C-alpha cells in the first residue's frame, strides 16, 4: 500500500508543478503586452507581413475555430504561408461548425472574418493575460497543448442587451517562447 500512496503523492506533486508553470497574469502582461499590442493591430489591419513576422519560426500558427485545441483537426500555417494569407483563394477545412457539425470550408479571408476578427478586438472591453475571461461550455485545453504559453485574450461580454451576455466573444492569441523571444503559435476563437 505504501507504494500506491507514494505514487498518488508523486502524481499530485507533478500536477501541482505543472500548474505552477503557468506564468502569472501580471508577469505575462509585462512580458507580452508590447508584442500582443503590435500583433492585434496588425491583425485588425490585415497586415499579413507583420503577422508572419510574429509567427513561430518552427511551429507556425495553429488556428482553432472553437476553444478546444485539436491537434488533429486544426490547421497550421507556417510563417511563409501567412505572408499571403489574405490573397490565398484556396478553400480549406478548418474544423466543423459548432451546433451543426458541418465542415468549416472557407478561404483564409473568410475564416478571418468569421473566426479571427469578426469584431473590433483591438478595442476589446477586457484583455486577459494568462487569465481566462470567457468560459462557455467547451473544454479548455490551451495550457495542456501549448508549452508554457502566454495566452492573451481579447474579450467582449456581449453586444445585444437582449441576449443577456449570451453573445459574448473573444479571441485568444497564444505565444510560446523560442530561443529568446515570444512568438505566435495559436489563434483561438471563443464564442457562446
Amino acid at each position: 500500500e505504501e507504494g500506491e500512496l507514494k505514487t498518488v503523492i508523486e502524481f499530485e506533486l507533478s500536477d501541482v508543478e505543472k500548474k505552477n508553470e503557468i506564468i502569472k497574469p501580471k508577469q505575462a502582461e509585462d512580458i507580452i503586452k508590447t508584442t500582443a499590442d503590435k500583433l492585434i493591430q496588425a491583425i485588425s489591419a490585415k497586415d499579413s507581413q507583420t503577422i508572419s513576422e510574429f509567427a513561430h519560426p518552427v511551429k507556425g500558427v495553429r488556428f482553432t475555430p472553437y476553444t478546444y485545441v485539436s491537434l488533429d483537426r486544426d490547421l497550421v500555417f507556417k510563417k511563409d504561408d501567412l505572408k499571403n494569407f489574405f490573397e490565398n483563394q484556396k478553400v480549406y477545412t478548418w474544423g466543423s461548425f459548432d451546433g451543426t457539425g458541418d465542415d468549416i470550408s472557407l478561404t483564409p479571408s473568410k475564416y478571418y472574418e468569421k473566426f479571427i476578427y469578426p469584431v473590433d478586438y483591438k478595442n476589446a472591453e477586457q484583455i486577459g493575460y494568462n487569465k481566462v475571461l470567457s468560459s462557455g461550455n467547451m473544454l479548455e485545453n490551451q495550457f495542456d497543448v501549448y508549452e508554457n504559453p502566454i495566452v492573451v485574450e481579447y474579450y467582449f461580454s456581449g453586444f445585444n442587451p437582449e441576449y443577456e451576455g449570451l453573445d459574448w466573444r473573444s479571441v485568444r492569441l497564444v505565444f510560446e517562447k523560442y530561443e529568446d523571444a515570444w512568438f505566435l503559435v495559436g489563434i483561438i476563437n471563443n464564442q457562446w
Side-chain angles (χ1 to χ4, degrees):
E1 285 194 4
E2 201 175 292
E4 279 179 29
L5 187 64
K6 189 165 174 279
T7 316
V8 169
I9 291 169
E10 278 175 4
F11 173 72
E12 284 180 353
L13 273 175
S14 67
D15 250 21
V16 168
E17 281 163 15
K18 220 175 128 186
K19 288 208 167 48
N20 286 346
E21 282 172 10
I22 295 177
I23 297 168
K24 303 275 180 292
K26 179 75 189 87
Q27 193 190 349
E29 181 174 355
D30 291 343
I31 294 170
I32 210 72
K33 186 180 186 321
T34 311
T35 303
D37 287 351
K38 283 183 192 148
L39 184 57
I40 198 75
Q41 176 62 47
I43 291 171
S44 75
K46 290 182 152 184
D47 173 356
S48 51
Q49 184 57 44
T50 303
I51 297 168
S52 74
E53 286 161 19
F54 284 106
H56 195 291
V58 180
K59 296 184 177 180
V61 177
R62 176 184 289 113
F63 292 87
T64 302
Y66 298 105
T67 314
Y68 188 81
V69 180
S70 165
L71 296 176
D72 321 328
R73 301 217 48 193
D74 292 348
L75 293 183
V76 174
F77 280 73
K78 293 292 192 200
K79 202 178 172 83
D80 283 349
D81 303 329
L82 288 166
K83 285 182 185 150
N84 45 17
F85 189 79
F86 297 107
E87 289 79 63
N88 183 344
Q89 291 308 307
K90 191 175 166 206
V91 173
Y92 296 87
T93 302
W94 305 80
S96 45
F97 281 105
D98 204 14
T100 64
D102 295 338
D103 281 351
I104 300 171
S105 300
L106 299 166
T107 61
S109 274
K110 289 282 180 229
Y111 181 85
Y112 168 91
E113 285 165 22
K114 224 173 165 46
F115 290 97
I116 300 177
Y117 209 83
V119 293
D120 188 16
Y121 287 126
K122 183 171 93 267
N123 296 305
E125 185 181 315
Q126 279 177 281
I127 300 175
Y129 298 88
N130 272 5
K131 182 172 144 206
V132 172
L133 299 175
S134 63
S135 54
N137 50 2
M138 295 286 274
L139 284 164
E140 299 263 348
N141 66 341
Q142 59 207 7
F143 287 106
D144 305 324
V145 171
Y146 291 107
E147 288 171 53
N148 300 336
I150 292 182
V151 178
V152 184
E153 179 165 27
Y154 298 83
Y155 173 74
F156 282 105
S157 60
F159 301 91
N160 182 338
E162 285 172 26
Y163 294 139
E164 296 178 350
L166 287 185
D167 56 347
W168 64 263
R169 294 202 74 133
S170 79
V171 72
R172 294 177 185 162
L173 303 181
V174 184
F175 297 89
E176 274 181 17
K177 195 169 191 181
Y178 176 72
E179 288 171 353
D180 289 329
W182 288 83
F183 291 95
L184 181 69
V185 281
I187 299 181
I188 303 173
N189 169 63
N190 294 280
Q191 63 195 96
W192 178 254

